[in-house]
Amino acid sequence: MSFSSLGLSEKVLAAVEAAGYTEPTPIQAGAIPHVLARRDVLGLAQTGTGKTASFTLPMLTLLEKGRGRARMPRTLILEPTRELAAQVEENFSRYGANHRLNVALLIGGTSFGDQDRKLDRGVDVLIATPGRLLDHTERGKLLLQGVDILVIDEADRMLDMGFIPDIERICKLIPMTRQTLFFSATMPPEIQRLVDTFLHNPARVEVARTSSTADTVTQQVVASGGKDFDKRETLRKLVDEAQDLKNAIVFCNRKRDVQTVFRSLQRHGYSVGALHGDMDQRSRMATLDQFRKGELTLLIASDVAARGLDIPDVSHVFNYDVPTHAEDYVHRIGRTGRAGRSGVAISIVTGSDQKYLAGIEKLIERPLAWLGDAIDFENAATDQKARRRSGGRTPRDNETDGEAKPRRRTRAGSRDRKTDKPEAEKAGDEAVVDAPEPAKSEPQAEAKTEQKAPARRGRGPKSATQEEKRQVPKRRRGNGGKDDEPVIGLGDHVPAFLLRDTRPKKAS
Ligand code: AMP
């Protein structure tokens, strides 16, 4: 099939040709004709499938008629993260090279003033994260009555991040006559309910799920002690001993670990940058840019921050944590071994990761090979129970620690252990305030005991900029974004059922 058979305008076809695309991907071939026919679309597709062009190309065609009015955008695209929003904006610049459209990006971490000025000039395409968009509507600076195409992208990620009440509020601010394009990789009941409530007789376009990893990726797992200190030591060893390491992404499950691992590697002299949801937008973009240009060798990232990013091929992926969602493993591994090139993916596994490792092996339908000794999960479980009973160390702890290290437990560390709920924490990864900074005592002890480490891969003169100021989202999720404050009643969360439209649905 060719792009010219899909009904796209001449200007768009010229931009597609300039981008070097010869054939539409399945999601593009499936969705574009429906979008052009002004139908609602439910697209079941992951990032990497060409999903962005499946809505930007027909939108550009439809936008060729008309102009945006001040503070009344004609189209709205909602994205869960700032990076994805910025990436969609890039897509509009690339594919819209032959159009003269005003595109505005409304994301946190950048000033309201610039965004207001753009809105005042009249916007054809508004790309936003839900929180910042609602801030603008609440300030009376933005009217959504003129929106006639609404795109909700990565809906299941929105759910993970607690954005669904915000999405419901936004949907109600836009006329019912709009066209809605809705994309999600999975269809949990909450997402299905959104679809049933806000889409009208959508055309369903589904592309195959990614549940396999490329054959060009060597996948291994390596055993590590369960303490943060052990895991960081294991990671450094992996980096130092990796063959042909050009660059690597290190994935952590929690953003506070992204920060801790980043600082630790930086202190050890590695060329390293960090990418997580609490960093301001400029730092994130600067770090990504440095990584793309090869000025940083290691990028420490959380799933949500890295999701969907167009990061070039990397030689190695290290999972500092085994992901709790097996599909995230496939997504992480997909960063390497692209286009037939070889790649290496190694996951650090601890005694408590048995369930998650089994989930991954089930999804990819093959066992992962151990680099070195495998973990004896039965004994690891017994050890954990013994540790819990004795409230502290077991004989095995003393064995694995080797030389005695005077380590104090950090406050953040002990909090971790008490509240260690990977699923729940992951869900809030980008949406809640980070835990307190770890106390300095542990990393200092670590640096002291490991000074004799050999020259390391990934070491380099340059490291990421330090302008990683925290941003504290003042949003409406659950406990108001505060990890450690008690929530009274429902907090400021409004249950979705209270927001539901009570009018009877029109028969379609
Ligand atoms: P996405 O799933 O939208 O994040 O797209 C993933 C990557 O595929 C991006 O780097 C796009 O530039 C690229 N891409 C999108 N459509 C096509 C196409 N029809 N042919 C080749 N590459 C494409």
Side-chain angles (χ1 to χ4, degrees), residues 15 22 61-62 75 82 86 108-109 126 178 257 286 299 311 320 342 386 392 395 413 419 428:
T22 49
T61 299
L62 295 172
T75 59
R82 299 166 188 181
L126 185 60
R178 66 169 183 260
D257 288 333
L299 182 68
I311 298 175
Y320 177 79
S342 62
T419 58

Side-chain angles (χ1 to χ4, degrees), residues 242-247 315-316 457:
Q243 286 189 355
D244 302 323
L245 186 143
K246 189 178 121 230
N247 56 359
S315 68
H316 287 65
R457 312 279 177 130

Side-chain angles (χ1 to χ4, degrees), residues 3 21 23-25 28 47-53 94-95 310:
F3 274 104
Y21 304 160
E23 239 185 279
T25 64
Q28 291 163 3
T47 50
T49 53
K51 160 169 78 71
T52 318
R94 181 153 33 127
Y95 306 135
D310 212 0

Side-chain angles (χ1 to χ4, degrees), residues 222-237:
V222 65
S224 168
K227 298 190 189 81
D228 295 344
F229 178 86
D230 296 322
K231 291 179 79 172
R232 292 200 293 269
E233 190 175 86
T234 307
L235 175 65
R236 289 195 299 276
K237 204 159 176 279

Side-chain angles (χ1 to χ4, degrees), residues 3 16 19-28 45-57 84 87-88 91 94-95 153-154 308-311 338:
F3 274 104
V16 166
Y21 304 160
T22 49
E23 239 185 279
T25 64
I27 185 77
Q28 291 163 3
Q46 290 178 313
T47 50
T49 53
K51 160 169 78 71
T52 318
S54 78
F55 60 83
T56 49
L57 299 180
L84 281 168
Q87 220 163 274
V88 172
N91 271 252
R94 181 153 33 127
Y95 306 135
D153 196 16
E154 302 262 336
L309 290 183
D310 212 0
I311 298 175
R338 286 183 173 191

